Amino acid sequence: MSQPLRITVWNEGVHESNGAPASMATDYPDGMHGAIAAGLAGLIPDAQIRTAVLADPEHGLTEEILASTDVLLWWGHIAHGQVSDEVVERVKQHVLGGMGLLVLHSGHFSKIFISLMGTTCSLLWRNEGERELVWTVNPTHPIAQGIPQPLVIPHQEMYGEFFDIPDPDDLVFISSFTGGEVFRSGVTFHRGRGRIFYFSPGDQEYPVYQQPAIHQVLANGVRWAAQPDVPRVAPSVGHPDREWFARS
Amino acid sequence: MSQPLRITVWNEGVHESNGAPASMATDYPDGMHGAIAAGLAGLIPDAQIRTAVLADPEHGLTEEILASTDVLLWWGHIAHGQVSDEVVERVKQHVLGGMGLLVLHSGHFSKIFISLMGTTCSLLWRNEGERELVWTVNPTHPIAQGIPQPLVIPHQEMYGEFFDIPDPDDLVFISSFTGGEVFRSGVTFHRGRGRIFYFSPGDQEYPVYQQPAIHQVLANGVRWAAQPDVPRVAPSVGHPDREWFARS
Amino acid sequence: MSQPLRITVWNEGVHESNGAPASMATDYPDGMHGAIAAGLAGLIPDAQIRTAVLADPEHGLTEEILASTDVLLWWGHIAHGQVSDEVVERVKQHVLGGMGLLVLHSGHFSKIFISLMGTTCSLLWRNEGERELVWTVNPTHPIAQGIPQPLVIPHQEMYGEFFDIPDPDDLVFISSFTGGEVFRSGVTFHRGRGRIFYFSPGDQEYPVYQQPAIHQVLANGVRWAAQPDVPRVAPSVGHPDREWFARS
Amino acid sequence: MSQPLRITVWNEGVHESNGAPASMATDYPDGMHGAIAAGLAGLIPDAQIRTAVLADPEHGLTEEILASTDVLLWWGHIAHGQVSDEVVERVKQHVLGGMGLLVLHSGHFSKIFISLMGTTCSLLWRNEGERELVWTVNPTHPIAQGIPQPLVIPHQEMYGEFFDIPDPDDLVFISSFTGGEVFRSGVTFHRGRGRIFYFSPGDQEYPVYQQPAIHQVLANGVRWAAQPDVPRVAPSVGHPDREWFARS
């Protein structure tokens, strides 16, 4: 645990460059990835934190970057389809090989999350800026440490059930919304040798990623997902036939 | 599956005999157990349904009754402490040996449920007659078949997280309340060879057990928990040393 | 439950047509799919059972066939790569929409299984015709009913851990082999609205699919995975962006 | 994380004092608890490690000792019935309140484990000094780090399925034995706010607790179960009625 954690915060960055919604300029002057990175830096002082966006060469997710990343955070929304399949496959190999992955909010519909889950990852949805309450249902879980019960988000987009995901390894948080909907808002999985945490709060229209309690959840998630002492394994998910004959 | 299901609905029956709350007389003229039994009878036409209450000899749960019960439903509230430890142990042996068990509402604090869970089974609580919405989060589960999304209960006691139970085998329903609390309101477990379903809606102050959709959940739960074709096994949970020497 | 179950047994059918291994001719005169179909027919008398192979038009898995299939069984080995991506996607949509799926033996490396799991599905492997013992670790599970403890397979290919799958919903069987390896040989999942059962025993070199106890496992699996009374839902797993905009 | 971990190794200590089997004298000159404590001390250098035995006043498990214990290890076999119910209840309160618990080998039949599980915890059993292979089935789990695949124990008592426990949170290890039996030999649970790890290898007849790889599993388990930064919560599992009225 002596070496610093290496964190990469990925954001498609399209709302930031398009200036829509207009509130982005005041809510997130450094982009959502900037707000997340700053929040993490405050809570994991020795971390090495990088950010990357869709517009970067190879979306900023080269083999070299991924190989030196302990935990990747992923935020996407209106540009899921613009993410290259090659980069998605590269990220998947690293997750299966041991890299931690935090998928945030509308990232539930990202190619990488859908590919790792095997389901549609669809959900109920409505955006009326309602109050979200995030309740801890697993107080023993490392990700729940130090989080208020409930965590109050004054204004948020509503995500509701049925959320079409596999049963998670651990259900950490359940949210309710003013309209009465509920959502499994904090869930963990492992796939191959990698640990995955999906956390739904956070949206381009609301300054959720400026809340200290949200920073705490994300920092807890990063620490939980990181396996800095475990060598990255090279999984082999390519052509199934190649797999098979390699075994014979 | 040709023989009829044998169902025993157990209710402490103290609110019924005390006449408190006064609304019981109109909400439940035949007692809560009567309303539940009638609801099940309408949906499982060939079932053999009995009821039993605390005041019955051996609480109506003799060895003979349990041995001829496929699924036992349990409602208790203000008289948990009056249930004999001997009867609780007898019920437990049958559950571990294959009898189905549905634990209802305030039955979360019954001796039988606490003993099977191993935890405190405590929860957050407030009674202001709020609206409860019951959301299905596992639409593939047999217990969720035919249940509206959400199931609306106009007035209910609030049960909230943290609910101190082991992780369930299956999380079927999550509820929200007007106050914003959430609750894992429909959860399954197996213990030994028996199947257990805990379902939180239902209270002596509100006519919840008169709602057809609630009857449907209970009937689904009974069908799911029943193993009529599986011989009842005699578990041996008595003195640990006896166990051990029996093996040598 | 009054209508008969509609079962489709899919086999790539390449060992059958190639005549390798030579033992196929005596072990499986009607092909492995023929042996499986006959075994199911004996245990689910009213079932409508079809078979299909890789060489059929659209691999025998047209939209019409899948729409009228309650449970699909899948056996593949040396021709995973020849299965059309379009057909795999079609099967996946039906599974996510509610069709049951049994994946058999070397089907762990099929495109459909890998796609639903999100992992490599790789495993340890050795073929020396060893004895496999299949132990029930969840005797309450419907798939374990009537199965001997242990189920003995005289000669089998060894599949061992680590088996790279997500944590299953239910772990039903664990196998051991003469060499001392262990394997989670019977595991269930749900994905979307479909139920999935993976069962590892069965191989082209050994007459495993002629054993009555294996037929019983498969018949139990089919009954468990079937949801004949639930309308097939149309999931939407196509282009993520299309999903998203459909919600706005 | 700066304060040292506080570990208490509890052993009934009856084989040690009775001198049966005779091999104890050479296998475990300082008792099994001594061997375990020495193994942990070598791998968690800054830990504060105490031992306690049945013959100690209050079995060495006073309120003061438990309140200053982060993780308790429990070994028992022929004297389960001599452990005072009052001490068992005290230990249970601490586990539910956040103390870690490692239950070892024949401790599966201890009062504390049975009480926390709610099942019989019975298993298949035979003692012929066979080879046990411990296979990791969850390589991402913290308890599996640095453990050989498989871990070989030359001579061991056989524990086999069906092991009557609730579904574990995480299945980490599965063992096989020369006779072909299998066993879920490393499983985790949380109950209340406490983390529990059951690990089956280890017996009074064989020097299992002298193997470095076994020490590594136990040290990993201790680190995983410890929550040194989380205040011990006082659960309330006493009289159910008291609970209920406290809420009203």
Side-chain angles (χ1 to χ4, degrees):
Chain A
M1 283 291 206
S2 49
Q3 75 264 44
L5 285 186
R6 300 163 302 174
I7 303 169
T8 302
V9 182
W10 192 89
N11 177 10
E12 60 181 31
V14 176
H15 290 294
E16 283 81 355
S17 56
N18 284 356
S23 56
M24 285 287 289
T26 47
D27 283 349
Y28 296 112
D30 300 314
M32 285 182 281
H33 47 297
I36 292 168
L40 293 175
L43 291 165
I44 314 179
D46 58 343
Q48 295 178 351
I49 305 178
R50 292 176 290 207
T51 61
V53 298
L54 183 69
D56 290 340
E58 303 188 49
H59 311 325
L61 298 173
T62 61
E63 176 61 29
E64 186 185 2
I65 292 286
L66 293 173
S68 60
T69 295
D70 292 312
V71 181
L72 174 68
L73 295 91
W74 189 281
W75 198 99
H77 173 213
I78 53 174
H80 293 312
Q82 297 175 42
V83 178
S84 128
D85 288 340
E86 186 186 345
V87 169
V88 170
E89 181 63 21
R90 192 187 296 154
V91 171
K92 184 173 181 177
Q93 297 288 325
H94 277 277
V95 172
L96 296 178
M99 183 177 72
L101 178 69
L102 268 61
V103 176
L104 305 178
H105 191 57
S106 42
H108 74 92
F109 262 152
S110 63
K111 290 179 180 180
I112 182 63
F113 191 59
I114 288 175
S115 169
L116 285 162
M117 295 294 105
T119 57
T120 67
C121 301
S122 64
L123 44 76
L124 199 68
W125 171 87
R126 188 183 68 239
N127 186 3
E128 305 183 27
E130 297 173 67
R131 180 202 64 190
E132 176 175 358
L133 301 180
V134 184
W135 296 88
T136 293
V137 300
N138 189 337
T140 306
H141 202 282
I143 297 180
Q145 301 313 307
I147 307 305
Q149 176 80 318
L151 190 169
V152 182
I153 303 174
H155 302 286
Q156 240 297 54
E157 183 179 41
M158 186 283 291
Y159 275 15
E161 296 285 344
F162 171 61
F163 184 20
D164 183 17
I165 50 172
D167 273 5
D169 290 359
D170 295 311
L171 174 63
V172 184
F173 301 119
I174 297 176
S175 289
S176 72
F177 296 84
T178 309
E181 291 90 351
V182 299
F183 193 67
R184 288 170 289 170
S185 50
V187 286
T188 73
F189 305 89
H190 74 274
R191 290 294 180 268
R193 281 159 171 88
R195 296 178 188 156
I196 302 167
F197 175 51
Y198 173 77
F199 186 59
S200 62
D203 187 84
Q204 72 278 2
E205 289 199 37
Y206 310 102
V208 175
Y209 293 124
Q210 302 288 6
Q211 288 192 235
I214 297 292
H215 296 164
Q216 188 67 57
V217 171
L218 297 180
N220 289 350
V222 164
R223 288 190 195 276
W224 170 84
Q227 303 182 78
D229 299 328
V230 177
R232 188 71 44 88
V233 171
S236 35
V237 288
H239 193 284
D241 279 359
R242 184 171 58 78
E243 281 305 297
W244 184 256
F245 291 124
R247 285 171 18 192
S248 325
Chain B
M1 284 288 208
S2 49
Q3 75 265 43
L5 285 185
R6 300 164 302 173
I7 303 169
T8 301
V9 181
W10 193 88
N11 177 11
E12 61 181 31
V14 176
H15 290 293
E16 283 81 355
S17 57
N18 285 356
S23 55
M24 285 286 289
T26 47
D27 283 350
Y28 297 112
D30 300 314
M32 285 182 282
H33 47 297
I36 291 168
L40 292 175
L43 291 165
I44 314 179
D46 58 343
Q48 295 177 350
I49 305 178
R50 293 175 291 209
T51 61
V53 298
L54 182 69
D56 290 339
E58 302 188 52
H59 311 325
L61 298 172
T62 61
E63 176 61 29
E64 186 185 2
I65 292 286
L66 293 173
S68 59
T69 294
D70 292 312
V71 180
L72 174 69
L73 295 91
W74 190 281
W75 198 99
H77 173 214
I78 53 174
H80 293 311
Q82 298 174 41
V83 179
S84 127
D85 288 342
E86 185 186 346
V87 170
V88 171
E89 181 63 21
R90 192 188 297 155
V91 171
K92 185 173 181 176
Q93 297 288 326
H94 276 277
V95 172
L96 296 179
M99 183 178 71
L101 178 69
L102 268 60
V103 176
L104 304 178
H105 191 58
S106 42
H108 74 93
F109 262 152
S110 63
K111 291 179 178 179
I112 182 63
F113 192 60
I114 289 175
S115 169
L116 285 162
M117 296 293 105
T119 57
T120 67
C121 301
S122 63
L123 44 76
L124 199 69
W125 171 87
R126 187 183 69 239
N127 186 3
E128 306 184 26
E130 297 172 66
R131 182 202 62 190
E132 176 174 359
L133 301 180
V134 184
W135 296 88
T136 294
V137 300
N138 189 337
T140 306
H141 202 282
I143 297 179
Q145 301 313 306
I147 307 305
Q149 178 80 318
L151 190 169
V152 181
I153 302 175
H155 302 286
Q156 241 296 56
E157 184 179 40
M158 186 283 292
Y159 274 15
E161 297 283 345
F162 170 62
F163 185 20
D164 182 17
I165 51 172
D167 273 5
D169 290 358
D170 295 310
L171 175 62
V172 184
F173 302 119
I174 297 175
S175 289
S176 73
F177 296 85
T178 309
E181 292 91 350
V182 299
F183 193 67
R184 288 169 290 169
S185 50
V187 286
T188 73
F189 306 89
H190 73 274
R191 290 294 180 270
R193 281 159 171 88
R195 297 178 187 154
I196 302 167
F197 175 52
Y198 173 76
F199 185 59
S200 64
D203 187 84
Q204 71 279 4
E205 288 198 38
Y206 310 103
V208 175
Y209 293 124
Q210 301 288 6
Q211 288 191 235
I214 297 292
H215 297 165
Q216 189 66 57
V217 171
L218 298 180
N220 289 351
V222 164
R223 289 190 195 276
W224 169 84
Q227 303 182 78
D229 299 327
V230 177
R232 188 70 45 87
V233 172
S236 34
V237 289
H239 193 283
D241 280 357
R242 184 171 58 79
E243 281 305 297
W244 184 257
F245 291 125
R247 285 169 19 191
S248 325
Chain C
M1 285 290 204
S2 48
Q3 75 265 44
L5 286 185
R6 299 164 303 173
I7 303 168
T8 301
V9 181
W10 192 88
N11 178 10
E12 59 181 31
V14 176
H15 290 293
E16 283 82 355
S17 55
N18 284 357
S23 55
M24 285 287 289
T26 47
D27 283 348
Y28 296 112
D30 300 313
M32 285 183 281
H33 47 297
I36 292 169
L40 293 175
L43 291 165
I44 315 179
D46 58 342
Q48 294 177 351
I49 305 178
R50 290 176 292 208
T51 61
V53 297
L54 182 69
D56 290 339
E58 303 188 49
H59 311 326
L61 298 173
T62 61
E63 175 61 29
E64 186 185 2
I65 292 286
L66 293 173
S68 59
T69 294
D70 292 312
V71 180
L72 175 69
L73 294 92
W74 190 281
W75 198 98
H77 173 214
I78 53 174
H80 294 312
Q82 297 175 41
V83 179
S84 126
D85 288 341
E86 185 185 346
V87 169
V88 170
E89 180 64 20
R90 191 188 297 156
V91 171
K92 185 172 180 177
Q93 297 287 326
H94 276 277
V95 173
L96 296 179
M99 183 177 72
L101 177 68
L102 268 61
V103 176
L104 305 178
H105 192 57
S106 43
H108 74 93
F109 262 152
S110 63
K111 291 179 179 179
I112 182 64
F113 191 60
I114 289 175
S115 169
L116 285 162
M117 295 294 104
T119 56
T120 66
C121 301
S122 63
L123 45 76
L124 199 69
W125 170 88
R126 188 184 68 239
N127 186 3
E128 305 184 26
E130 296 172 69
R131 181 202 61 189
E132 175 174 359
L133 301 180
V134 183
W135 296 88
T136 294
V137 299
N138 189 336
T140 305
H141 202 283
I143 297 180
Q145 301 314 306
I147 307 305
Q149 177 79 320
L151 190 169
V152 181
I153 302 175
H155 302 285
Q156 243 294 56
E157 183 180 42
M158 186 282 292
Y159 275 15
E161 297 283 346
F162 170 61
F163 184 21
D164 182 17
I165 50 172
D167 273 5
D169 291 358
D170 295 310
L171 175 62
V172 184
F173 301 119
I174 297 175
S175 289
S176 73
F177 295 84
T178 309
E181 292 90 350
V182 298
F183 193 68
R184 288 170 290 170
S185 51
V187 286
T188 73
F189 306 88
H190 74 274
R191 290 294 181 270
R193 280 159 172 88
R195 295 178 188 155
I196 302 168
F197 175 51
Y198 173 77
F199 186 59
S200 63
D203 187 84
Q204 71 279 3
E205 288 199 37
Y206 311 103
V208 175
Y209 293 124
Q210 302 289 5
Q211 287 191 236
I214 298 292
H215 295 165
Q216 188 66 57
V217 172
L218 297 180
N220 289 351
V222 164
R223 288 189 195 276
W224 169 84
Q227 303 182 78
D229 300 329
V230 178
R232 188 71 45 88
V233 171
S236 34
V237 288
H239 194 284
D241 279 359
R242 182 171 59 77
E243 280 306 296
W244 183 257
F245 291 126
R247 284 169 22 189
S248 322
Chain D
M1 286 287 204
S2 49
Q3 75 265 43
L5 284 186
R6 300 163 303 174
I7 303 169
T8 301
V9 181
W10 192 88
N11 177 10
E12 59 180 31
V14 176
H15 290 293
E16 283 82 355
S17 56
N18 285 356
S23 55
M24 285 287 289
T26 47
D27 282 347
Y28 297 112
D30 300 313
M32 285 183 281
H33 47 297
I36 291 169
L40 293 174
L43 291 165
I44 315 179
D46 57 344
Q48 294 177 352
I49 305 178
R50 292 176 292 209
T51 61
V53 297
L54 182 70
D56 290 339
E58 302 188 50
H59 310 325
L61 298 173
T62 61
E63 176 61 29
E64 186 185 3
I65 292 286
L66 293 173
S68 60
T69 295
D70 292 312
V71 181
L72 175 69
L73 294 92
W74 191 280
W75 197 100
H77 173 214
I78 52 173
H80 294 311
Q82 298 174 41
V83 178
S84 125
D85 288 341
E86 185 186 346
V87 169
V88 171
E89 181 64 22
R90 191 187 298 154
V91 171
K92 185 173 180 176
Q93 297 288 325
H94 276 278
V95 173
L96 295 179
M99 183 177 71
L101 178 68
L102 267 61
V103 176
L104 304 178
H105 192 57
S106 42
H108 73 93
F109 262 152
S110 63
K111 291 179 178 179
I112 182 63
F113 192 59
I114 288 175
S115 170
L116 286 161
M117 294 294 104
T119 57
T120 67
C121 300
S122 63
L123 46 75
L124 199 69
W125 171 87
R126 189 184 66 238
N127 186 3
E128 305 184 27
E130 297 172 66
R131 180 202 63 189
E132 176 175 359
L133 302 180
V134 184
W135 296 88
T136 294
V137 299
N138 188 337
T140 306
H141 202 283
I143 297 179
Q145 301 313 306
I147 307 305
Q149 178 79 319
L151 190 168
V152 181
I153 302 174
H155 302 286
Q156 241 295 56
E157 183 179 41
M158 186 283 293
Y159 275 16
E161 298 284 347
F162 170 62
F163 184 20
D164 183 17
I165 50 172
D167 273 5
D169 291 358
D170 295 310
L171 174 61
V172 184
F173 302 119
I174 296 175
S175 288
S176 73
F177 296 84
T178 309
E181 293 88 352
V182 299
F183 193 67
R184 289 170 290 169
S185 51
V187 286
T188 73
F189 306 89
H190 73 274
R191 290 293 181 270
R193 280 158 172 88
R195 296 179 188 153
I196 302 167
F197 175 52
Y198 173 76
F199 185 60
S200 63
D203 187 85
Q204 71 279 3
E205 289 197 38
Y206 310 103
V208 175
Y209 293 123
Q210 302 289 5
Q211 287 191 236
I214 298 292
H215 296 165
Q216 188 67 56
V217 171
L218 297 179
N220 289 350
V222 164
R223 290 190 194 276
W224 169 84
Q227 304 181 77
D229 300 328
V230 177
R232 188 71 44 89
V233 171
S236 34
V237 287
H239 193 283
D241 279 358
R242 184 171 59 78
E243 282 305 297
W244 183 258
F245 291 125
R247 285 169 21 190
S248 322

